[in-house]
Amino acid sequence: KNRIELVKGDANGKIYDTLYPLQVGYQKHGESGVEVSDWLPHLSECVDDMAIVRSMWTTASNHDAQLQFHTGRNRFDGFFPTIGAWVHYGLGSLNDSLPQFIVMGNKIGDCCGGKATEGADYLGPEHDGVTLSVDPKNPLPFAIPAEGAGSAERLKAQRLLGRLSRLTADEFPDDSALAARFKSYELAFRMQTAVPDVVNSAGETAATHQLYGTTGGPTQSFGQLCLTARRLVERGVRFVQIYHGGGGAGAWDAHSNLQTNHAKNCQQTDQPIAGLLKDLKQRGLLDETLVVWGSEFGRTPGGQGSNGRGHHNFGFSVWMAGGGIKGGTVHGATDELGFHAVEDRHYVTDIHATVMKQLGLDPRRLAVPGRKRLEVDYGHPIEEIIA
């Protein structure tokens, strides 16, 4: 049963002669009876709020697929605005004291797109993602006030900087990078008060910390990111992007030791992500907050080496919850081997288009004159998972 003959190549031209068997079991959960891996016991409790798309595909088979997931293009096409930047560009601000596109967690290495996975490219640097370090002891390492400077003194300095900035802007009216820098100075000043408050979760209840797993152990770090994400959403931040296992190819790149690798990573993330969904729901925020879980691509159904899987971009899954998404839904399918998406196939920009539709945005109406986009760049909303 563990040696089913398979003669197919992956995108890198490698041939796999056996299927790599399941490394953990799965069960049906919720009223919807959706199958969930035993590695995800906490998320299995949330399945009736989730829509799972099992028919995703991309064209990139190496780690630039991380960039492709965010922009719709791989690195050989050049750089393009990310989904977070488009949302920032289309909706603007709900809270002038916090960035509207925030990035947290272990970030992507340069080999996989680096800063471009949170960038705005031709939309302008004012729409780039802003990195937030979730450390209550040092919440704003690059914008902390000078030692001994009081609030009145800082306010005077900020007003002077504003006057000088306006004079310079009059001299260089077409310099978008300069204008973005001035805005960033003003935002950084306001963030000196707002950010320490948002990353300090000491006032949260013991039950809340238990929910996210922030009381210690393997869930502590990622749990703090998910809890901070909820606090940011409460304060009106439009788009929060959280990475897990970034840096270089990433911690999920299980070419070997897949069982040990995935068990460890699922243990770190399962409870915090489920905690975020449950917390948003009990606070009445899930209906107006769209949660998207995605990866760069999937893993091959055939084995690599003795106990791993290779990159696989022909068929993989993404799930969404909240924000008007139809919970307890499974959409699309791969073939019986899990090799190709064959039913209701969706390129990654269909996820982008779904997010934008639920936020009231139309990708075509956001198009920038003079910036040619392909049909696939716009994507199409996945209507079947929208309530």
Side-chain angles (χ1 to χ4, degrees):
K1 67 180 180 180
N2 290 340
R3 293 193 63 82
I4 301 173
E5 296 302 314
L6 171 68
V7 184
K8 276 190 176 182
D10 70 3
N12 298 317
K14 298 176 182 177
I15 301 297
Y16 301 91
D17 61 1
T18 59
L19 288 175
Y20 187 48
L22 285 174
Q23 300 299 291
V24 69
Y26 64 92
Q27 308 292 329
K28 291 186 176 182
H29 291 274
E31 294 182 6
S32 52
V34 175
E35 299 92 343
V36 181
S37 166
D38 291 346
W39 273 327
L40 304 171
H42 294 278
L43 275 171
S44 68
E45 298 171 357
C46 305
V47 73
D48 287 333
D49 292 315
M50 296 160 56
I52 302 169
V53 182
R54 290 181 172 166
S55 51
M56 301 300 303
W57 64 276
T58 73
T59 60
S61 62
N62 213 324
H63 293 292
D64 55 318
Q66 297 188 39
L67 177 63
Q68 190 168 28
F69 195 94
H70 291 283
T71 68
R73 297 288 193 96
N74 65 43
R75 64 189 307 173
F76 300 108
D77 292 328
F79 298 120
F80 291 82
T82 63
I83 175 62
W86 280 116
V87 169
H88 187 291
Y89 174 77
L91 292 179
S93 178
L94 284 172
N95 185 332
D96 291 335
S97 295
L98 288 168
Q100 293 300 290
F101 176 13
I102 286 179
V103 182
M104 301 188 293
N106 297 325
K107 301 176 75 171
I108 289 174
D110 290 340
C111 65
C112 313
K115 287 287 290 181
T117 61
E118 59 204 56
D121 198 65
Y122 61 73
L123 294 180
E126 66 269 29
H127 302 296
D128 285 346
V130 175
T131 300
L132 183 64
S133 174
V134 183
D135 180 1
K137 296 179 180 178
N138 189 20
L140 210 59
F142 300 108
I144 56 176
E147 187 175 349
S151 57
E153 185 178 355
R154 298 201 305 273
L155 180 59
K156 288 180 180 179
Q158 176 61 25
R159 287 174 175 169
L160 175 60
L161 180 61
R163 290 173 59 192
L164 296 174
S165 296
R166 286 189 291 274
L167 290 173
T168 308
D170 290 341
E171 188 175 354
F172 302 100
D174 298 324
D175 191 333
S176 60
L178 190 63
R181 183 175 298 175
F182 294 155
K183 289 181 180 178
S184 72
Y185 290 153
E186 295 169 354
L187 176 59
F189 175 74
R190 296 190 296 271
M191 286 171 63
Q192 289 178 359
T193 299
V195 168
D197 172 65
V198 78
V199 302
N200 185 0
S201 59
E204 298 283 351
T205 66
T208 297
H209 284 291
Q210 188 68 38
L211 183 66
Y212 284 89
T214 53
T215 55
T219 57
Q220 171 70 38
S221 178
F222 197 71
Q224 190 63 46
L225 296 179
C226 290
L227 176 53
T228 302
R230 189 221 81 206
R231 292 171 63 83
L232 289 167
V233 167
E234 283 182 314
R235 289 159 175 77
V237 174
R238 294 281 194 189
F239 199 99
V240 182
Q241 188 165 301
I242 308 176
Y243 293 114
H244 176 267
W252 292 84
D253 195 28
H255 293 284
S256 61
N257 299 319
L258 182 141
Q259 187 179 68
T260 301
N261 174 281
H262 279 25
K264 176 182 177 181
N265 288 324
C266 288
Q267 186 181 32
Q268 292 174 0
T269 59
D270 172 46
Q271 181 179 346
I273 298 173
L276 175 61
L277 292 179
K278 294 173 182 177
D279 200 15
L280 288 171
K281 188 173 183 177
Q282 70 186 10
R283 292 170 186 270
L285 292 171
L286 188 58
D287 288 344
E288 60 189 55
T289 306
L290 185 57
V291 181
V292 182
W293 180 98
S295 64
E296 54 186 339
F297 40 49
R299 311 302 296 191
T300 53
Q304 186 176 41
S306 62
N307 57 2
R309 297 185 190 272
H311 303 169
H312 195 73
N313 56 303
F314 300 127
F316 61 101
S317 297
V318 169
W319 63 257
M320 307 172 74
I325 293 297
K326 190 185 300 180
T329 302
V330 175
H331 174 71
T334 59
D335 59 32
E336 65 274 17
L337 298 179
F339 200 96
H340 284 106
V342 294
E343 181 183 313
D344 295 319
R345 300 173 72 242
H346 293 285
Y347 181 63
V348 291
T349 49
D350 290 354
I351 295 292
H352 298 179
T354 305
V355 170
M356 288 198 197
K357 177 173 182 176
Q358 296 308 94
L359 294 176
L361 298 172
D362 181 346
R364 295 181 184 278
R365 298 184 70 177
L366 287 178
V368 176
R371 297 289 183 172
K372 181 175 175 58
R373 295 169 66 183
L374 303 175
E375 178 68 22
V376 72
D377 292 345
Y378 294 104
H380 300 278
I382 307 174
E383 299 289 351
E384 294 84 351
I385 69 170
I386 297 174

